[in-house]
Amino acid sequence: MMGKFFRKSAAESKLKTMEQAVIYKEKEEFKDVHWVLKNASAKQFYEFSFDMEDFPNIKIKNIENLEETGLAFENNTISGTPLTNNMYHLDVQFYHAHDQNQLETKKIQLFVNADPKDLWKNIPSDKNAAFYKLEEDSFKGSFSDKKIVVASKRGRSHAHEGKFREDDFAVNNLPEDWNIISVSDGAGSAIAAREGSRVATTTINQFFSSQEILNQIDNNINILYTVQSSSEEQSEAKKNIINVLSESVVHVYHALEKIAAENELSVNDLHATLIFTLVKKFSFGYVILSFGVGDCPINLINTDFSEVKLLNQMDVGEFGGGTRFITMKEIFNEKIASRFRITCVEDFSYLVLMTDGIYDPKFTTENKLEDTESWKSLFEDLAGNNDDRTKVDFNNDEKIGEELLIWSDFWSRGNHDDRTLAIIY
């Protein structure tokens, strides 16, 4: 009996030794595996999951020194937003499932890149300079029976040199239930472009504050869409509307000429693009009158996001990448009518106006401006699907103006122009 007992004890001891050897081997293998954590970027959301498939018995309990990075560890995943760039030395504390009391340590490194935004200076513009303008501006409010949000932000290239925001916008509720939004991008090469964009937007909106002018437009729209009228009468009504719209942009040009003369400037010193939309809801649907000169788009997205229309002529391509400005007398020729659109739709989900500071990084080319997938990507981006995790909430929209300004600070290599985005929703 005694011999049998000793043989059993010896077998158990041998088995235990073998188990310990296996445990030791598996822990050492885990220590030896070379883990390269993907690099993080400061102020951008980061996530890295440890692949434990080859180590079913190894359990990570904690990662020491991680708190100084601004990240957290849970369920085998490091996640969060690192605060500053650095090389961090981390200690992975782990144990074997069959030996939970014995903690071991594995050393790894995490490199956090500098936030490229931090490499750009943000020098305030001169408040005492002529034509001073705020470096950013936003607006939210009603627009017909819908809502509108606009954000306009000075680009990094201007901020780096202490220059002004050249973009501008203006929003107005007009008589007879009309609404107008205008957006302008001042040319960076023009010394007073910031004033050109301001004058262009405020002047066009003021032009349409006249009840007489709006009544004239209403009468012709009724002929165009509601009255039993001949094709000749409808054609004449359309022509009358475009004539009024043409008068409005000529009026803007003259206002810019006047400002230039008063300040001993050339009108070219005020170079600025201009886009605008006049919107009114009628019993038969929304009528949208639009105009554009330059490279800033106006887009209408239908209710189920299956179609996107460009509502203005874009001055790209034909001019070798150059653009046209409202300050250029040569645009006021027989082709001016082609710059206007009269659109009537039963309903829409979004009406969007933007400057090239948004258009260039988010769409790249003109042909994507009517691509529904590109627009879906933009709105997914606005919903928070971006590196910064910045979100613009169109449902709970109490702070939507501030949210859109924050979102507009997105990083896009090589795209550092002023950014203005207006969304009617």
Side-chain angles (χ1 to χ4, degrees), residues 78-96:
I78 294 174
S79 65
T81 304
L83 304 176
T84 56
N85 62 299
N86 204 346
M87 171 67 81
Y88 293 97
H89 300 277
L90 309 176
D91 291 334
V92 178
Q93 292 186 326
F94 67 94
Y95 61 87
H96 195 282

Side-chain angles (χ1 to χ4, degrees), residues 55-91:
F55 305 98
N57 293 321
I58 300 297
K59 311 297 177 185
I60 299 176
K61 182 179 181 180
N62 183 40
I63 300 181
E64 287 198 330
N65 307 326
L66 189 63
E67 63 278 358
E68 63 187 85
T69 69
L71 302 171
F73 175 75
E74 188 177 5
N75 296 328
N76 290 336
T77 299
I78 294 174
S79 65
T81 304
L83 304 176
T84 56
N85 62 299
N86 204 346
M87 171 67 81
Y88 293 97
H89 300 277
L90 309 176
D91 291 334

Side-chain angles (χ1 to χ4, degrees), residues 135-279:
E135 285 147 18
E136 63 181 32
D137 195 9
S138 66
F139 175 86
K140 75 180 183 78
S142 61
F143 200 90
S144 186
D145 64 340
K146 294 183 181 287
K147 297 178 180 180
I148 185 170
V149 60
V150 192
S152 184
K153 192 174 189 69
R154 183 175 67 158
R156 289 189 184 88
S157 56
H158 289 160
H160 192 70
E161 299 178 20
K163 294 182 178 179
F164 292 91
R165 173 172 59 98
E166 309 286 6
D167 283 6
D168 221 315
F169 70 89
V171 185
N172 288 94
N173 295 326
L174 303 172
E176 303 300 322
D177 296 324
W178 282 94
N179 292 262
I180 187 170
I181 164 69
S182 57
V183 172
S184 178
D185 177 4
S189 58
I191 60 172
R194 60 189 180 278
E195 180 69 354
S197 61
R198 186 195 69 81
V199 171
T201 54
T202 56
T203 302
I204 196 71
N205 287 25
Q206 287 168 0
F207 179 89
F208 289 107
S209 64
S210 163
Q211 189 157 351
E212 181 183 351
I213 289 173
L214 294 174
N215 284 338
Q216 187 180 346
I217 293 174
D218 278 351
N219 292 337
N220 284 284
I221 285 174
N222 285 327
I223 294 171
L224 198 57
Y225 293 111
T226 63
V227 178
Q228 291 293 328
S229 46
S230 65
S231 58
E232 290 81 6
E233 289 172 324
Q234 289 179 342
S235 179
E236 184 67 20
K238 183 178 180 180
K239 182 180 176 182
N240 290 339
I241 294 169
I242 289 176
N243 283 342
V244 173
L245 298 177
S246 297
E247 287 174 24
S248 73
V249 294
V250 171
H251 178 70
V252 171
Y253 178 81
H254 289 319
L256 289 162
E257 274 191 322
K258 183 171 182 288
I259 290 292
E262 289 173 352
N263 291 276
E264 298 181 344
L265 296 167
S266 159
V267 71
N268 291 350
D269 294 329
L270 299 166
H271 269 342
T273 66
L274 178 64
I275 54 175
F276 71 82
T277 57
L278 279 158
V279 179

Side-chain angles (χ1 to χ4, degrees), residues 23-76:
I23 290 171
Y24 176 81
K25 178 175 178 291
E26 290 182 354
K27 289 196 295 187
E28 288 302 307
E29 287 175 347
F30 181 71
K31 282 183 184 180
D32 289 341
V33 70
H34 183 55
W35 265 343
V36 179
L37 273 62
K38 68 177 183 180
N39 289 352
S41 293
K43 300 178 186 176
Q44 291 187 16
F45 182 79
Y46 176 82
E47 188 172 71
F48 179 85
S49 294
F50 295 100
D51 184 3
M52 302 297 289
E53 187 175 346
D54 293 336
F55 305 98
N57 293 321
I58 300 297
K59 311 297 177 185
I60 299 176
K61 182 179 181 180
N62 183 40
I63 300 181
E64 287 198 330
N65 307 326
L66 189 63
E67 63 278 358
E68 63 187 85
T69 69
L71 302 171
F73 175 75
E74 188 177 5
N75 296 328
N76 290 336

Side-chain angles (χ1 to χ4, degrees), residues 365-383:
T365 60
E366 185 186 359
N367 60 10
K368 289 186 178 180
L369 286 170
E370 292 187 296
D371 174 48
T372 55
E373 292 306 312
S374 296
W375 279 94
K376 285 176 182 176
S377 294
L378 176 67
F379 276 90
E380 287 171 4
D381 190 327
L382 287 163

Side-chain angles (χ1 to χ4, degrees), residues 148-149 181 183 275 277 288 296-301 305 308-312 348-355 358 363 369 375 378-379 382 394 404 420-425:
I148 185 170
V149 60
I181 164 69
V183 172
I275 54 175
T277 57
I288 303 166
C296 302
I298 306 169
N299 284 87
L300 182 69
I301 305 172
F305 232 104
V308 182
K309 288 182 180 179
L310 181 64
L311 299 189
N312 66 307
F348 62 91
S349 59
Y350 299 101
L351 178 58
V352 184
L353 298 83
M354 68 180 78
T355 60
I358 300 287
F363 291 90
L369 286 170
W375 279 94
L378 176 67
F379 276 90
L382 287 163
F394 291 95
L404 189 56
T420 301
L421 179 60
I423 303 174
I424 298 157
Y425 62 100

